[in-house]
Amino acid sequence: MLVDFLENAKFIIYNNLLSSDEANVLKKDICKLFTLGSIRSPFLGITNKSLDLNVSNTEKLESEFGNYIKSTTLVQQLLLGSTIRIKSCEQFLPAINQLKIRYLPKDCNYFSTVFITGSGFSGLPMHTDPHYSLLLQLAGKKRWNLWYESDTKSANCREPDIVITLEPGMALFIPPNLVHCAISSGHKCSSIHLTLACTKQD
């Protein structure tokens, strides 16, 4: 187990959390989802900071794209600079549950999300999350700016405390309520990373 619920937790960077084989297998399994032709709206989110687009709930997605979103539509969104979020991935990819067992506390609530961002784009603005997050880089590169701040306005007025570029196999632990943002930095290669998010059980 890597993630512990510590008070005043810090950002933690893991250089070789996944082997190249593990990262490649997960990447291929995720890419196979796109060969299905379409993915149901409840499992998707689409965000584009430049276009001021943030479609994260099922109702909005269905009104915009229909009950099933075609893979070609998702690829078009990537080319426009959007970040595609595939939610509840453990329902499609059983290997993710094994990662949960390996890295997260037994007594936690967890969910998984895959983030796919085209090269050179940043789909999500600077933000915080209410949960603990373990980010595993599977393909491409992603540069993360990290602040020991809980207020985005304050963080936006100064340089980040940590800047790190994740490559396949690397991982980043982000505690709750700390400001972060990222940009896909791989050369002509989309970034794919898996987030295992967890909270304490009541």
Short mmCIF file of all heavy atoms in Angstrom, two decimals, residues 149-185:
data_model
loop_
_atom_site.label_atom_id
_atom_site.label_comp_id
_atom_site.label_asym_id
_atom_site.label_seq_id
_atom_site.Cartn_x
_atom_site.Cartn_y
_atom_site.Cartn_z
N GLU A 149 -0.94 25.11 -1.79
CA GLU A 149 -1.97 26.13 -1.59
C GLU A 149 -3.33 25.46 -1.77
O GLU A 149 -3.48 24.52 -2.54
CB GLU A 149 -1.86 27.25 -2.64
CG GLU A 149 -0.61 28.08 -2.58
CD GLU A 149 -0.80 29.34 -1.75
OE1 GLU A 149 -1.88 29.49 -1.14
OE2 GLU A 149 0.13 30.14 -1.71
N SER A 150 -4.34 25.99 -1.09
CA SER A 150 -5.69 25.51 -1.30
C SER A 150 -6.54 26.51 -2.07
O SER A 150 -7.69 26.22 -2.42
CB SER A 150 -6.37 25.21 0.05
OG SER A 150 -6.40 26.37 0.86
N ASP A 151 -5.97 27.69 -2.35
CA ASP A 151 -6.70 28.75 -3.04
C ASP A 151 -6.09 28.98 -4.41
O ASP A 151 -4.91 29.33 -4.53
CB ASP A 151 -6.66 30.03 -2.21
CG ASP A 151 -7.39 31.17 -2.89
OD1 ASP A 151 -8.60 31.03 -3.16
OD2 ASP A 151 -6.75 32.21 -3.17
N THR A 152 -6.88 28.79 -5.47
CA THR A 152 -6.35 28.91 -6.82
C THR A 152 -5.93 30.34 -7.16
O THR A 152 -4.96 30.55 -7.89
CB THR A 152 -7.39 28.43 -7.86
OG1 THR A 152 -8.62 29.12 -7.65
CG2 THR A 152 -7.63 26.93 -7.72
N LYS A 153 -6.65 31.32 -6.63
CA LYS A 153 -6.29 32.72 -6.91
C LYS A 153 -4.92 33.05 -6.34
O LYS A 153 -4.11 33.72 -6.99
CB LYS A 153 -7.35 33.66 -6.35
CG LYS A 153 -8.67 33.61 -7.10
CD LYS A 153 -9.66 34.62 -6.54
CE LYS A 153 -10.97 34.61 -7.31
NZ LYS A 153 -11.96 35.57 -6.75
N SER A 154 -4.67 32.59 -5.14
CA SER A 154 -3.38 32.83 -4.50
C SER A 154 -2.27 32.11 -5.27
O SER A 154 -1.19 32.66 -5.51
CB SER A 154 -3.42 32.37 -3.05
OG SER A 154 -2.16 32.50 -2.44
N ALA A 155 -2.53 30.85 -5.64
CA ALA A 155 -1.52 30.08 -6.36
C ALA A 155 -1.22 30.69 -7.72
O ALA A 155 -0.08 30.65 -8.20
CB ALA A 155 -2.00 28.64 -6.53
N ASN A 156 -2.22 31.27 -8.35
CA ASN A 156 -2.06 31.84 -9.68
C ASN A 156 -1.15 33.06 -9.69
O ASN A 156 -0.67 33.48 -10.74
CB ASN A 156 -3.43 32.21 -10.25
CG ASN A 156 -3.41 32.37 -11.75
OD1 ASN A 156 -2.71 31.64 -12.45
ND2 ASN A 156 -4.16 33.32 -12.26
N CYS A 157 -0.89 33.62 -8.51
CA CYS A 157 -0.06 34.83 -8.40
C CYS A 157 1.41 34.52 -8.19
O CYS A 157 2.22 35.44 -8.05
CB CYS A 157 -0.57 35.70 -7.24
SG CYS A 157 -2.20 36.39 -7.51
N ARG A 158 1.77 33.25 -8.15
CA ARG A 158 3.17 32.91 -7.93
C ARG A 158 3.54 31.64 -8.68
O ARG A 158 2.69 30.92 -9.18
CB ARG A 158 3.46 32.77 -6.43
CG ARG A 158 2.77 31.61 -5.75
CD ARG A 158 3.13 31.56 -4.27
NE ARG A 158 2.58 30.41 -3.58
CZ ARG A 158 3.14 29.21 -3.55
NH1 ARG A 158 4.29 28.99 -4.20
NH2 ARG A 158 2.61 28.22 -2.89
N GLU A 159 4.83 31.39 -8.72
CA GLU A 159 5.34 30.19 -9.39
C GLU A 159 4.97 28.94 -8.59
O GLU A 159 4.82 29.00 -7.37
CB GLU A 159 6.87 30.28 -9.52
CG GLU A 159 7.37 31.38 -10.43
CD GLU A 159 6.92 31.17 -11.87
OE1 GLU A 159 7.06 30.03 -12.37
OE2 GLU A 159 6.40 32.12 -12.47
N PRO A 160 4.81 27.81 -9.26
CA PRO A 160 4.49 26.57 -8.54
C PRO A 160 5.63 26.13 -7.62
O PRO A 160 6.80 26.46 -7.87
CB PRO A 160 4.25 25.56 -9.66
CG PRO A 160 4.93 26.12 -10.86
CD PRO A 160 4.87 27.61 -10.71
N ASP A 161 5.28 25.41 -6.59
CA ASP A 161 6.30 24.88 -5.67
C ASP A 161 7.04 23.71 -6.29
O ASP A 161 8.22 23.49 -6.00
CB ASP A 161 5.63 24.43 -4.36
CG ASP A 161 5.03 25.60 -3.59
OD1 ASP A 161 5.77 26.54 -3.28
OD2 ASP A 161 3.81 25.57 -3.35
N ILE A 162 6.35 22.95 -7.13
CA ILE A 162 6.96 21.79 -7.77
C ILE A 162 6.50 21.75 -9.23
O ILE A 162 5.33 21.98 -9.52
CB ILE A 162 6.55 20.47 -7.08
CG1 ILE A 162 7.00 20.45 -5.62
CG2 ILE A 162 7.12 19.26 -7.83
CD1 ILE A 162 6.47 19.27 -4.83
N VAL A 163 7.44 21.47 -10.12
CA VAL A 163 7.11 21.21 -11.52
C VAL A 163 7.72 19.86 -11.87
O VAL A 163 8.93 19.66 -11.69
CB VAL A 163 7.66 22.31 -12.46
CG1 VAL A 163 7.34 21.96 -13.92
CG2 VAL A 163 7.10 23.67 -12.10
N ILE A 164 6.90 18.94 -12.34
CA ILE A 164 7.37 17.60 -12.65
C ILE A 164 6.72 17.10 -13.93
O ILE A 164 5.52 17.31 -14.14
CB ILE A 164 7.09 16.62 -11.47
CG1 ILE A 164 7.56 15.21 -11.79
CG2 ILE A 164 5.61 16.61 -11.10
CD1 ILE A 164 9.05 15.02 -11.87
N THR A 165 7.50 16.48 -14.78
CA THR A 165 6.96 15.87 -15.99
C THR A 165 6.90 14.36 -15.79
O THR A 165 7.93 13.72 -15.56
CB THR A 165 7.82 16.20 -17.23
OG1 THR A 165 7.78 17.62 -17.45
CG2 THR A 165 7.27 15.50 -18.47
N LEU A 166 5.70 13.81 -15.86
CA LEU A 166 5.52 12.37 -15.71
C LEU A 166 5.66 11.68 -17.06
O LEU A 166 5.10 12.13 -18.06
CB LEU A 166 4.14 12.06 -15.13
CG LEU A 166 3.83 12.53 -13.71
CD1 LEU A 166 2.49 11.98 -13.26
CD2 LEU A 166 4.93 12.14 -12.73
N GLU A 167 6.41 10.61 -17.06
CA GLU A 167 6.56 9.75 -18.23
C GLU A 167 5.96 8.38 -17.90
O GLU A 167 5.71 8.09 -16.73
CB GLU A 167 8.04 9.64 -18.61
CG GLU A 167 8.67 10.98 -18.95
CD GLU A 167 10.09 10.85 -19.44
OE1 GLU A 167 10.51 9.72 -19.75
OE2 GLU A 167 10.78 11.88 -19.53
N PRO A 168 5.71 7.55 -18.92
CA PRO A 168 5.08 6.25 -18.65
C PRO A 168 5.79 5.45 -17.56
O PRO A 168 7.01 5.34 -17.55
CB PRO A 168 5.18 5.54 -20.01
CG PRO A 168 5.12 6.65 -21.00
CD PRO A 168 5.90 7.77 -20.38
N GLY A 169 4.99 4.94 -16.62
CA GLY A 169 5.52 4.19 -15.49
C GLY A 169 5.66 5.03 -14.23
O GLY A 169 5.71 4.49 -13.13
N MET A 170 5.72 6.36 -14.38
CA MET A 170 5.84 7.24 -13.23
C MET A 170 4.45 7.50 -12.62
O MET A 170 3.42 7.29 -13.26
CB MET A 170 6.50 8.57 -13.62
CG MET A 170 7.92 8.44 -14.10
SD MET A 170 8.66 10.03 -14.61
CE MET A 170 8.76 10.89 -13.03
N ALA A 171 4.45 7.96 -11.38
CA ALA A 171 3.19 8.25 -10.69
C ALA A 171 3.36 9.46 -9.78
O ALA A 171 4.47 9.82 -9.39
CB ALA A 171 2.73 7.04 -9.89
N LEU A 172 2.24 10.06 -9.47
CA LEU A 172 2.22 11.25 -8.62
C LEU A 172 1.07 11.12 -7.63
O LEU A 172 -0.06 10.82 -8.02
CB LEU A 172 2.03 12.51 -9.48
CG LEU A 172 1.78 13.84 -8.75
CD1 LEU A 172 3.00 14.25 -7.93
CD2 LEU A 172 1.41 14.93 -9.76
N PHE A 173 1.37 11.34 -6.35
CA PHE A 173 0.35 11.36 -5.31
C PHE A 173 0.02 12.81 -4.99
O PHE A 173 0.90 13.61 -4.68
CB PHE A 173 0.84 10.64 -4.06
CG PHE A 173 -0.08 10.78 -2.88
CD1 PHE A 173 -1.37 10.28 -2.93
CD2 PHE A 173 0.34 11.42 -1.72
CE1 PHE A 173 -2.23 10.41 -1.84
CE2 PHE A 173 -0.50 11.56 -0.63
CZ PHE A 173 -1.79 11.05 -0.69
N ILE A 174 -1.29 13.15 -5.08
CA ILE A 174 -1.74 14.51 -4.77
C ILE A 174 -2.73 14.44 -3.60
O ILE A 174 -3.79 13.81 -3.71
CB ILE A 174 -2.44 15.15 -5.99
CG1 ILE A 174 -1.46 15.25 -7.17
CG2 ILE A 174 -2.98 16.53 -5.64
CD1 ILE A 174 -2.05 15.90 -8.42
N PRO A 175 -2.40 15.08 -2.48
CA PRO A 175 -3.33 15.10 -1.34
C PRO A 175 -4.55 15.97 -1.65
O PRO A 175 -4.55 16.74 -2.61
CB PRO A 175 -2.48 15.72 -0.22
CG PRO A 175 -1.07 15.66 -0.70
CD PRO A 175 -1.13 15.74 -2.19
N PRO A 176 -5.58 15.88 -0.83
CA PRO A 176 -6.78 16.69 -1.05
C PRO A 176 -6.50 18.19 -0.92
O PRO A 176 -5.63 18.61 -0.16
CB PRO A 176 -7.74 16.24 0.05
CG PRO A 176 -7.20 14.95 0.55
CD PRO A 176 -5.73 15.00 0.34
N ASN A 177 -7.26 18.96 -1.69
CA ASN A 177 -7.33 20.41 -1.52
C ASN A 177 -6.03 21.16 -1.77
O ASN A 177 -5.84 22.26 -1.25
CB ASN A 177 -7.86 20.75 -0.11
CG ASN A 177 -9.19 20.07 0.18
OD1 ASN A 177 -10.08 20.07 -0.65
ND2 ASN A 177 -9.29 19.45 1.34
N LEU A 178 -5.15 20.59 -2.58
CA LEU A 178 -3.94 21.30 -2.99
C LEU A 178 -4.04 21.61 -4.48
O LEU A 178 -4.48 20.78 -5.28
CB LEU A 178 -2.69 20.49 -2.69
CG LEU A 178 -2.35 20.30 -1.21
CD1 LEU A 178 -1.04 19.52 -1.05
CD2 LEU A 178 -2.24 21.65 -0.47
N VAL A 179 -3.63 22.82 -4.85
CA VAL A 179 -3.81 23.32 -6.21
C VAL A 179 -2.86 22.61 -7.17
O VAL A 179 -1.68 22.40 -6.86
CB VAL A 179 -3.57 24.84 -6.27
CG1 VAL A 179 -3.69 25.36 -7.71
CG2 VAL A 179 -4.55 25.57 -5.35
N HIS A 180 -3.39 22.27 -8.34
CA HIS A 180 -2.56 21.64 -9.37
C HIS A 180 -3.17 21.88 -10.75
O HIS A 180 -4.36 22.18 -10.88
CB HIS A 180 -2.41 20.14 -9.12
CG HIS A 180 -3.71 19.40 -8.99
ND1 HIS A 180 -4.44 19.39 -7.82
CD2 HIS A 180 -4.43 18.65 -9.87
CE1 HIS A 180 -5.54 18.67 -7.98
NE2 HIS A 180 -5.56 18.21 -9.23
N CYS A 181 -2.33 21.77 -11.76
CA CYS A 181 -2.79 21.81 -13.16
C CYS A 181 -1.73 21.11 -14.00
O CYS A 181 -0.60 20.89 -13.54
CB CYS A 181 -3.05 23.23 -13.64
SG CYS A 181 -1.59 24.28 -13.74
N ALA A 182 -2.10 20.76 -15.23
CA ALA A 182 -1.17 19.98 -16.05
C ALA A 182 -1.36 20.28 -17.52
O ALA A 182 -2.42 20.76 -17.94
CB ALA A 182 -1.37 18.49 -15.78
N ILE A 183 -0.31 19.99 -18.29
CA ILE A 183 -0.39 20.11 -19.74
C ILE A 183 0.28 18.89 -20.35
O ILE A 183 1.31 18.41 -19.86
CB ILE A 183 0.29 21.41 -20.24
CG1 ILE A 183 0.14 21.55 -21.76
CG2 ILE A 183 1.77 21.46 -19.83
CD1 ILE A 183 0.55 22.90 -22.29
N SER A 184 -0.33 18.35 -21.38
CA SER A 184 0.25 17.22 -22.10
C SER A 184 1.45 17.72 -22.89
O SER A 184 1.33 18.62 -23.71
CB SER A 184 -0.80 16.61 -23.04
OG SER A 184 -0.24 15.59 -23.83
N SER A 185 2.61 17.14 -22.62
CA SER A 185 3.84 17.71 -23.18
C SER A 185 4.59 16.75 -24.11
O SER A 185 5.69 17.06 -24.56
CB SER A 185 4.78 18.13 -22.05
OG SER A 185 5.09 17.04 -21.21
#
